Amino acid sequence: MSENAVSARADAATAAGGAVAGGAASGGAEETGGFTAEAGSLTAETGSAKEIGVIDRSAAILTALQDAPMTAAEVCRRLGYSKSTTYRLLADLRTHRFIVRDSSGLLRLGPFPGRRSIATTNSVLEHLRTLTSESVQLWVRVGEDRVCVRNVEADHELRVSRGVGTVLPLVDGGSAALALCGPGNPQEFYATKQARVQGTASASVAVTAGGILLALCVSYPLNREPDNVAGAYRTLLSQAAVELKSLLEGSEELAVLKDIARLALGAKSKP
């Protein structure tokens, strides 16, 4: 029985001067869907059930967004909730940073404690990989070097791969190196081909978060280079970099990225 029906029965009982309670005394307590139809206890039980329902529905939303980012309308259709219920739950989840809305308007898991690295850098990089179908790296500048601190690889058999912890001198070139030598403006776009490795190309933008200069880079084999590289990648990279900046500012993830870079450089310097 629905909560509205239970409430209506309780109201009717009250209006009848405790008729339900009287009926319970003569014929046993009437139970409705697990609730005892006794006016004094219905409010507390109904409130508890409503809270449990909110938790269950919120958990279902988070589970759905683990599979893939979605719009609010897609969440409604997938879970079958009413639009008003879904939008209210989504607003609450965003307030507490369980979910965030990315630059393309999609909802994805957010940086709630315990999921920071997944919800920030990895989710942005993975979404960019989905849009470009190519490998994506995040580089940090440390002095005259750059260190790969995050990497997601394309699904193609032929792909450009850079492992986390890779250290490269800026003078070796590449679009990420150029971006890291620039002003850190995500609107500044850089693209190179065969700068470091024959048969490869890349496109990058840089962004500054918490005083750290980072480059977001899409890398791909030259035989899959788009006819218009800037048209294909400039906007996607810039939007992803802006989102990354907003997620990283003031987060614990920045300290994690710095530790990765520090450890990688320390390992490189060992004989």
Side-chain angles (χ1 to χ4, degrees), residues 184-215:
N185 181 351
Q187 303 308 316
E188 296 284 338
F189 176 80
Y190 302 86
T192 59
K193 60 178 67 178
Q194 306 191 106
R196 294 192 60 262
V197 180
Q198 289 292 315
T200 67
S202 66
S204 301
V205 300
V207 65
T208 301
I212 300 175
L213 188 59
L214 309 104

mmCIF file of all heavy atoms in Angstrom, residues 184-215:
data_model
loop_
_atom_site.group_PDB
_atom_site.id
_atom_site.type_symbol
_atom_site.label_atom_id
_atom_site.label_comp_id
_atom_site.label_asym_id
_atom_site.label_seq_id
_atom_site.Cartn_x
_atom_site.Cartn_y
_atom_site.Cartn_z
ATOM 1 N N GLY A 184 49.622 28.495 -19.531
ATOM 2 C CA GLY A 184 48.667 27.712 -18.751
ATOM 3 C C GLY A 184 47.235 28.106 -18.993
ATOM 4 O O GLY A 184 46.378 27.894 -18.142
ATOM 5 N N ASN A 185 46.957 28.654 -20.173
ATOM 6 C CA ASN A 185 45.603 29.052 -20.554
ATOM 7 C C ASN A 185 44.970 27.925 -21.362
ATOM 8 O O ASN A 185 45.473 27.576 -22.440
ATOM 9 C CB ASN A 185 45.665 30.338 -21.384
ATOM 10 C CG ASN A 185 44.286 30.819 -21.799
ATOM 11 O OD1 ASN A 185 43.285 30.132 -21.614
ATOM 12 N ND2 ASN A 185 44.242 32.010 -22.377
ATOM 13 N N PRO A 186 43.866 27.326 -20.896
ATOM 14 C CA PRO A 186 43.265 26.201 -21.610
ATOM 15 C C PRO A 186 42.717 26.559 -22.986
ATOM 16 O O PRO A 186 42.357 25.665 -23.756
ATOM 17 C CB PRO A 186 42.148 25.731 -20.670
ATOM 18 C CG PRO A 186 41.878 26.881 -19.777
ATOM 19 C CD PRO A 186 43.174 27.619 -19.626
ATOM 20 N N GLN A 187 42.651 27.844 -23.309
ATOM 21 C CA GLN A 187 42.210 28.246 -24.639
ATOM 22 C C GLN A 187 43.351 28.218 -25.650
ATOM 23 O O GLN A 187 43.123 28.307 -26.857
ATOM 24 C CB GLN A 187 41.587 29.652 -24.587
ATOM 25 C CG GLN A 187 40.422 29.785 -23.615
ATOM 26 C CD GLN A 187 39.345 28.731 -23.826
ATOM 27 O OE1 GLN A 187 38.964 28.447 -24.961
ATOM 28 N NE2 GLN A 187 38.867 28.147 -22.736
ATOM 29 N N GLU A 188 44.589 28.102 -25.147
ATOM 30 C CA GLU A 188 45.752 28.004 -26.032
ATOM 31 C C GLU A 188 45.925 26.548 -26.457
ATOM 32 O O GLU A 188 46.117 25.667 -25.612
ATOM 33 C CB GLU A 188 47.014 28.495 -25.314
ATOM 34 C CG GLU A 188 46.983 29.965 -24.935
ATOM 35 C CD GLU A 188 47.223 30.866 -26.139
ATOM 36 O OE1 GLU A 188 47.803 30.383 -27.136
ATOM 37 O OE2 GLU A 188 46.836 32.042 -26.077
ATOM 38 N N PHE A 189 45.866 26.306 -27.761
ATOM 39 C CA PHE A 189 45.864 24.937 -28.295
ATOM 40 C C PHE A 189 47.185 24.644 -29.000
ATOM 41 O O PHE A 189 47.720 25.485 -29.735
ATOM 42 C CB PHE A 189 44.703 24.793 -29.288
ATOM 43 C CG PHE A 189 44.636 23.464 -29.976
ATOM 44 C CD1 PHE A 189 44.086 22.365 -29.338
ATOM 45 C CD2 PHE A 189 45.104 23.307 -31.277
ATOM 46 C CE1 PHE A 189 44.012 21.132 -29.973
ATOM 47 C CE2 PHE A 189 45.030 22.082 -31.920
ATOM 48 C CZ PHE A 189 44.478 20.994 -31.265
ATOM 49 N N TYR A 190 47.698 23.434 -28.763
ATOM 50 C CA TYR A 190 48.977 23.040 -29.358
ATOM 51 C C TYR A 190 48.819 21.662 -30.008
ATOM 52 O O TYR A 190 48.203 20.765 -29.423
ATOM 53 C CB TYR A 190 50.078 22.965 -28.300
ATOM 54 C CG TYR A 190 50.284 24.257 -27.551
ATOM 55 C CD1 TYR A 190 49.494 24.557 -26.422
ATOM 56 C CD2 TYR A 190 51.241 25.189 -27.942
ATOM 57 C CE1 TYR A 190 49.671 25.747 -25.728
ATOM 58 C CE2 TYR A 190 51.425 26.371 -27.246
ATOM 59 C CZ TYR A 190 50.632 26.645 -26.143
ATOM 60 O OH TYR A 190 50.799 27.818 -25.462
ATOM 61 N N ALA A 191 49.386 21.488 -31.191
ATOM 62 C CA ALA A 191 49.343 20.201 -31.879
ATOM 63 C C ALA A 191 50.680 19.958 -32.566
ATOM 64 O O ALA A 191 51.272 20.891 -33.139
ATOM 65 C CB ALA A 191 48.208 20.167 -32.897
ATOM 66 N N THR A 192 51.162 18.736 -32.481
ATOM 67 C CA THR A 192 52.421 18.375 -33.140
ATOM 68 C C THR A 192 52.271 17.006 -33.792
ATOM 69 O O THR A 192 51.393 16.224 -33.420
ATOM 70 C CB THR A 192 53.593 18.308 -32.142
ATOM 71 O OG1 THR A 192 53.290 17.341 -31.127
ATOM 72 C CG2 THR A 192 53.840 19.666 -31.495
ATOM 73 N N LYS A 193 53.119 16.733 -34.776
ATOM 74 C CA LYS A 193 53.162 15.408 -35.388
ATOM 75 C C LYS A 193 54.615 14.977 -35.526
ATOM 76 O O LYS A 193 55.482 15.768 -35.895
ATOM 77 C CB LYS A 193 52.443 15.385 -36.732
ATOM 78 C CG LYS A 193 53.003 16.317 -37.789
ATOM 79 C CD LYS A 193 52.262 16.196 -39.110
ATOM 80 C CE LYS A 193 50.846 16.698 -38.999
ATOM 81 N NZ LYS A 193 50.145 16.622 -40.319
ATOM 82 N N GLN A 194 54.864 13.730 -35.152
ATOM 83 C CA GLN A 194 56.197 13.142 -35.244
ATOM 84 C C GLN A 194 57.262 13.993 -34.545
ATOM 85 O O GLN A 194 58.403 14.055 -34.976
ATOM 86 C CB GLN A 194 56.578 12.892 -36.702
ATOM 87 C CG GLN A 194 55.538 12.066 -37.444
ATOM 88 C CD GLN A 194 56.007 11.573 -38.791
ATOM 89 O OE1 GLN A 194 56.312 10.394 -38.958
ATOM 90 N NE2 GLN A 194 56.055 12.469 -39.751
ATOM 91 N N ALA A 195 56.855 14.666 -33.460
ATOM 92 C CA ALA A 195 57.797 15.526 -32.732
ATOM 93 C C ALA A 195 58.793 14.700 -31.938
ATOM 94 O O ALA A 195 59.964 15.060 -31.830
ATOM 95 C CB ALA A 195 57.040 16.464 -31.805
ATOM 96 N N ARG A 196 58.337 13.607 -31.378
ATOM 97 C CA ARG A 196 59.224 12.756 -30.575
ATOM 98 C C ARG A 196 59.355 11.362 -31.170
ATOM 99 O O ARG A 196 60.424 10.779 -31.166
ATOM 100 C CB ARG A 196 58.710 12.638 -29.139
ATOM 101 C CG ARG A 196 58.739 13.929 -28.340
ATOM 102 C CD ARG A 196 58.500 13.636 -26.860
ATOM 103 N NE ARG A 196 59.518 12.758 -26.312
ATOM 104 C CZ ARG A 196 59.376 11.444 -26.154
ATOM 105 N NH1 ARG A 196 58.249 10.828 -26.497
ATOM 106 N NH2 ARG A 196 60.369 10.724 -25.645
ATOM 107 N N VAL A 197 58.240 10.808 -31.644
ATOM 108 C CA VAL A 197 58.236 9.433 -32.146
ATOM 109 C C VAL A 197 57.625 9.413 -33.540
ATOM 110 O O VAL A 197 56.560 9.995 -33.769
ATOM 111 C CB VAL A 197 57.421 8.516 -31.209
ATOM 112 C CG1 VAL A 197 57.423 7.084 -31.730
ATOM 113 C CG2 VAL A 197 57.964 8.569 -29.786
ATOM 114 N N GLN A 198 58.305 8.776 -34.470
ATOM 115 C CA GLN A 198 57.802 8.669 -35.831
ATOM 116 C C GLN A 198 56.431 7.985 -35.855
ATOM 117 O O GLN A 198 56.191 7.009 -35.133
ATOM 118 C CB GLN A 198 58.774 7.861 -36.693
ATOM 119 C CG GLN A 198 60.081 8.582 -37.004
ATOM 120 C CD GLN A 198 59.853 9.780 -37.919
ATOM 121 O OE1 GLN A 198 59.128 9.703 -38.906
ATOM 122 N NE2 GLN A 198 60.481 10.905 -37.586
ATOM 123 N N GLY A 199 55.553 8.511 -36.677
ATOM 124 C CA GLY A 199 54.243 7.902 -36.856
ATOM 125 C C GLY A 199 53.222 8.261 -35.809
ATOM 126 O O GLY A 199 52.123 7.693 -35.793
ATOM 127 N N THR A 200 53.557 9.183 -34.892
ATOM 128 C CA THR A 200 52.609 9.583 -33.856
ATOM 129 C C THR A 200 52.350 11.086 -33.908
ATOM 130 O O THR A 200 53.141 11.845 -34.466
ATOM 131 C CB THR A 200 53.113 9.225 -32.443
ATOM 132 O OG1 THR A 200 54.270 10.013 -32.139
ATOM 133 C CG2 THR A 200 53.474 7.749 -32.368
ATOM 134 N N ALA A 201 51.243 11.492 -33.311
ATOM 135 C CA ALA A 201 50.885 12.905 -33.231
ATOM 136 C C ALA A 201 50.119 13.131 -31.938
ATOM 137 O O ALA A 201 49.671 12.173 -31.284
ATOM 138 C CB ALA A 201 50.030 13.316 -34.427
ATOM 139 N N SER A 202 49.970 14.396 -31.561
ATOM 140 C CA SER A 202 49.241 14.691 -30.333
ATOM 141 C C SER A 202 48.710 16.112 -30.352
ATOM 142 O O SER A 202 49.173 16.948 -31.138
ATOM 143 C CB SER A 202 50.129 14.488 -29.097
ATOM 144 O OG SER A 202 51.182 15.431 -29.082
ATOM 145 N N ALA A 203 47.741 16.371 -29.485
ATOM 146 C CA ALA A 203 47.168 17.707 -29.313
ATOM 147 C C ALA A 203 46.989 17.951 -27.825
ATOM 148 O O ALA A 203 46.607 17.030 -27.082
ATOM 149 C CB ALA A 203 45.828 17.812 -30.035
ATOM 150 N N SER A 204 47.277 19.173 -27.369
ATOM 151 C CA SER A 204 47.272 19.445 -25.931
ATOM 152 C C SER A 204 46.813 20.858 -25.618
ATOM 153 O O SER A 204 46.906 21.762 -26.458
ATOM 154 C CB SER A 204 48.675 19.255 -25.337
ATOM 155 O OG SER A 204 49.166 17.958 -25.528
ATOM 156 N N VAL A 205 46.338 21.009 -24.378
ATOM 157 C CA VAL A 205 46.126 22.332 -23.782
ATOM 158 C C VAL A 205 46.676 22.258 -22.365
ATOM 159 O O VAL A 205 46.832 21.160 -21.808
ATOM 160 C CB VAL A 205 44.640 22.757 -23.757
ATOM 161 C CG1 VAL A 205 44.057 22.805 -25.155
ATOM 162 C CG2 VAL A 205 43.828 21.830 -22.856
ATOM 163 N N ALA A 206 46.976 23.403 -21.787
ATOM 164 C CA ALA A 206 47.497 23.451 -20.416
ATOM 165 C C ALA A 206 46.519 24.184 -19.510
ATOM 166 O O ALA A 206 45.708 24.996 -19.968
ATOM 167 C CB ALA A 206 48.860 24.135 -20.385
ATOM 168 N N VAL A 207 46.600 23.884 -18.225
ATOM 169 C CA VAL A 207 45.754 24.546 -17.242
ATOM 170 C C VAL A 207 46.522 24.603 -15.926
ATOM 171 O O VAL A 207 47.338 23.725 -15.634
ATOM 172 C CB VAL A 207 44.414 23.789 -17.068
ATOM 173 C CG1 VAL A 207 44.650 22.399 -16.489
ATOM 174 C CG2 VAL A 207 43.435 24.567 -16.230
ATOM 175 N N THR A 208 46.279 25.656 -15.154
ATOM 176 C CA THR A 208 46.913 25.781 -13.851
ATOM 177 C C THR A 208 45.872 25.558 -12.766
ATOM 178 O O THR A 208 44.813 26.178 -12.766
ATOM 179 C CB THR A 208 47.547 27.181 -13.679
ATOM 180 O OG1 THR A 208 48.502 27.383 -14.714
ATOM 181 C CG2 THR A 208 48.244 27.291 -12.332
ATOM 182 N N ALA A 209 46.163 24.635 -11.844
ATOM 183 C CA ALA A 209 45.261 24.351 -10.726
ATOM 184 C C ALA A 209 46.088 24.280 -9.456
ATOM 185 O O ALA A 209 47.045 23.503 -9.379
ATOM 186 C CB ALA A 209 44.518 23.038 -10.959
ATOM 187 N N GLY A 210 45.745 25.101 -8.476
ATOM 188 C CA GLY A 210 46.470 25.092 -7.217
ATOM 189 C C GLY A 210 47.947 25.380 -7.367
ATOM 190 O O GLY A 210 48.769 24.858 -6.612
ATOM 191 N N GLY A 211 48.293 26.203 -8.340
ATOM 192 C CA GLY A 211 49.686 26.558 -8.560
ATOM 193 C C GLY A 211 50.484 25.516 -9.336
ATOM 194 O O GLY A 211 51.686 25.692 -9.553
ATOM 195 N N ILE A 212 49.831 24.448 -9.770
ATOM 196 C CA ILE A 212 50.497 23.396 -10.541
ATOM 197 C C ILE A 212 50.115 23.533 -12.012
ATOM 198 O O ILE A 212 48.935 23.670 -12.346
ATOM 199 C CB ILE A 212 50.106 21.997 -10.030
ATOM 200 C CG1 ILE A 212 50.496 21.830 -8.562
ATOM 201 C CG2 ILE A 212 50.754 20.904 -10.871
ATOM 202 C CD1 ILE A 212 50.038 20.520 -7.968
ATOM 203 N N LEU A 213 51.100 23.481 -12.883
ATOM 204 C CA LEU A 213 50.856 23.561 -14.322
ATOM 205 C C LEU A 213 50.699 22.149 -14.875
ATOM 206 O O LEU A 213 51.590 21.303 -14.724
ATOM 207 C CB LEU A 213 52.013 24.281 -15.018
ATOM 208 C CG LEU A 213 51.821 24.614 -16.502
ATOM 209 C CD1 LEU A 213 50.602 25.505 -16.704
ATOM 210 C CD2 LEU A 213 53.072 25.282 -17.068
ATOM 211 N N LEU A 214 49.556 21.892 -15.502
ATOM 212 C CA LEU A 214 49.252 20.578 -16.052
ATOM 213 C C LEU A 214 48.925 20.693 -17.527
ATOM 214 O O LEU A 214 48.410 21.725 -17.983
ATOM 215 C CB LEU A 214 48.062 19.936 -15.327
ATOM 216 C CG LEU A 214 48.105 19.888 -13.800
ATOM 217 C CD1 LEU A 214 47.172 20.944 -13.229
ATOM 218 C CD2 LEU A 214 47.714 18.509 -13.296
ATOM 219 N N ALA A 215 49.191 19.644 -18.277
ATOM 220 C CA ALA A 215 48.822 19.583 -19.690
ATOM 221 C C ALA A 215 47.942 18.368 -19.920
ATOM 222 O O ALA A 215 48.268 17.257 -19.498
ATOM 223 C CB ALA A 215 50.066 19.513 -20.566
#
